[in-house]
Amino acid sequence: MFKLKKLFLMSFMLLTIFSCGGKDANKESKTLSIYTWTYFIPQEVIDGFEKETGIKVQLDYYDTNEQMYAKLKSGARGYDIVSPSTDILSIMREEGMLEKLDKEKLKDVYSNLKMDEIVKFSESYDPQFQYSLPYTFSATGIAVNTKYVKDYPKSFDIFAMSQYKGRMTMLDDMRETLGAALQYLGYSAETSNDQELEAAKNKLLEWKKNLAKFDSTTFGKNFASGEFYISHGYAENYFEELSEEDAKTTDYFIPKGAMMYIDSMAILANSPNKENAYKFLEYLYRPENFKKVYEVFKAPSVIKGIEESSSIKPYVTFEDVINNSTLPKALSNEALEKQQKIWESIKLQ
C-alpha cells in the first residue's frame, strides 16, 4: 500500500511537472527578446511581426559592442537575438556564444542576400555567414557643410585645413578614429607595430589641433545646428537631424582609409526561444519588410532588388564603401593594449 501510494504521488508530481513545462513552453513560444542598438529595427517591422505571429517582442538596447558583450559574459540570460558588429561577432562565434544558423529555415533569406558582393567580407569574421546575417553595410564618412566650406579634399586631409580650426569634430572612438588614421597611412587597423602606431598618433595629433573635440554622442545635432562645418561620423546621425533644406548643402563622402562596418543579426546559443528567433529573421529579411529597414537607414541594402524598388537613394553606394574602406577585424591582446595606450595619450595631449 505504501509503495502504491508512493508510486501514485511520484506519478502525480511528474504529471504536474510536465504540465507546468507545457505551459512554460507555450508561454515561451509567444515571446522574443532582442538585445540591439537603439532605433536599429523599425517599429513598423516589429508591429507587423507581432500582428502576424502573435509573438510579443521585448527590446533592450546597448550603446557599444563592448557593453553588450560584457553583459552577456557576466551571465545575463533570456536574450534571443543580438546585433554585433564584425570584430566582436568573430569573438562571440569563437567562444561558442552564437547559434550556428539552420540555413534550411532561412533559405529564402540566403537566396535574397547579395552574396556575390558581400560574402568575401564574411571571411574575416563569419565565413559564408554561418552564424550571422548581415544587416547594415556601410562605412564611416565625413560630413561637410558646403555653405561654409567651398574647396576641400575628399579625404582625411580635410582635417588639416587650419582655416576651419574649432569647426571640426572626429569620433571619440578608438577603433574608428585611430583605425582611420592607420588605414589612411596605409597600415592595418589591427597593427601592434610601434612605429606604425607612433605615425598614426602623430597624424591624429596634427588633425586634433584643428578639432573642437572628439565626439560620439552629439556630433549629428551639432553639425545640423551649424556649430561645426566638418564632422567625422555616421551618415544617418547627420541626415536624421538635418532639415530638407540643410541636407541639400551637406556633402557626405567616404574617404580612402575609412572604416567599413557590417552590423549583423545573430541568434544566441543559449536563446530560450530559438524557433521564434528564426521566425523573426525570416520575417525581417523578406524584401517587402527589409525595404522598410533600407528606407530608414538609407545604407546600401544587403538584399537584392531593394534599392531598385524604392524611390529613396542611399547616402552612399556599395561602390563608395567597397572602394574606399576596409572592414576591421578583432584586435589581438597585444594590439588592444598598445592601441589603448596610444589613444589615451592622443586624448590627453
Side-chain angles (χ1 to χ4, degrees), residues 12 58 62 114 191 220 313 341:
F12 177 78
Q58 171 65 42
Y62 52 85
K114 289 182 177 177
T191 188
K313 301 301 179 186
K341 286 182 179 178

Side-chain angles (χ1 to χ4, degrees), residues 4 28 34 86 93 102 106 120-121 125 149 151 180 185 187 198 214 223 244 267:
L4 286 174
E28 288 174 357
I34 303 176
T86 51
R93 177 178 60 83
D102 184 340
L106 299 169
K120 60 185 175 183
F121 298 108
Y125 71 96
V149 184
D151 298 313
L185 294 170
Y187 306 134
E198 190 65 22
F214 291 114
F223 179 85
E244 188 174 336
I267 301 174

Side-chain angles (χ1 to χ4, degrees), residues 45 48-49 51-53 105-106 108-113 133 135 278-294 301 303-304 306 309:
V45 174
F49 174 74
K51 184 177 180 180
E52 178 176 299
T53 64
K105 293 179 180 177
L106 299 169
D108 289 339
V109 176
Y110 282 96
S111 68
N112 285 327
L113 283 178
L133 293 170
Y135 184 70
Y278 277 108
K279 289 177 183 177
F280 180 80
L281 294 180
E282 187 278 325
Y283 181 88
L284 175 64
Y285 283 86
R286 289 179 200 167
E288 65 270 23
N289 296 326
F290 206 84
K291 183 178 179 180
K292 296 166 187 172
V293 174
Y294 165 74
S301 176
I303 296 292
K304 299 172 188 173
I306 297 293
S309 70

Side-chain angles (χ1 to χ4, degrees), residues 48-64:
F49 174 74
E50 290 183 334
K51 184 177 180 180
E52 178 176 299
T53 64
I55 296 169
K56 180 66 177 175
V57 177
Q58 171 65 42
L59 293 167
D60 277 357
Y61 304 109
Y62 52 85
D63 299 319
T64 67

Side-chain angles (χ1 to χ4, degrees), residues 314-327:
Y315 297 132
V316 296
T317 67
F318 249 103
E319 290 70 26
D320 292 331
V321 176
I322 291 170
N323 294 335
N324 296 310
S325 63
T326 302
L327 186 67

